[in-house]
Amino acid sequence: MGDLDASLKQLRRAYEKQPDPDIAAHLGEVLWVKGERGEARKVWDEGRRKDPKNKALLETIRRLASS
């Protein structure tokens, strides 16, 4: 939506309550775009440990981390 700081705040809150791989995909994407790539990778790794085949997570990682 364009407000990365607000998105980051909401996604962090959601991920703390429910560390779901789909939320990890979105949280990692916002972190990546903000330049916090190490933290993005950490969140993605946590998500992959929970569900190594999560489609949204794998697609996000493929799209961003390979560029």
Side-chain angles (χ1 to χ4, degrees):
M1 295 176 127
D3 188 347
L4 293 177
D5 292 328
S7 296
L8 183 58
K9 184 177 178 180
Q10 291 293 333
L11 286 165
R12 282 189 195 276
R13 187 177 303 133
Y15 192 67
E16 285 175 11
K17 289 181 181 179
Q18 182 180 348
D20 179 85
D22 288 316
I23 299 171
H26 297 294
L27 175 56
E29 182 167 6
V30 172
L31 288 165
W32 189 270
V33 171
K34 287 183 61 69
E36 298 178 35
R37 295 186 171 186
E39 190 173 352
R41 286 187 177 101
K42 179 183 171 204
V43 169
W44 289 337
D45 288 345
E46 290 171 1
R48 281 195 312 209
R49 280 194 294 278
K50 287 189 173 271
D51 183 0
K53 296 182 181 181
N54 182 280
K55 188 175 181 178
L57 182 57
L58 293 175
E59 172 59 26
T60 301
I61 294 167
R62 184 198 61 77
R63 181 169 43 84
L64 296 173
S66 65
S67 60

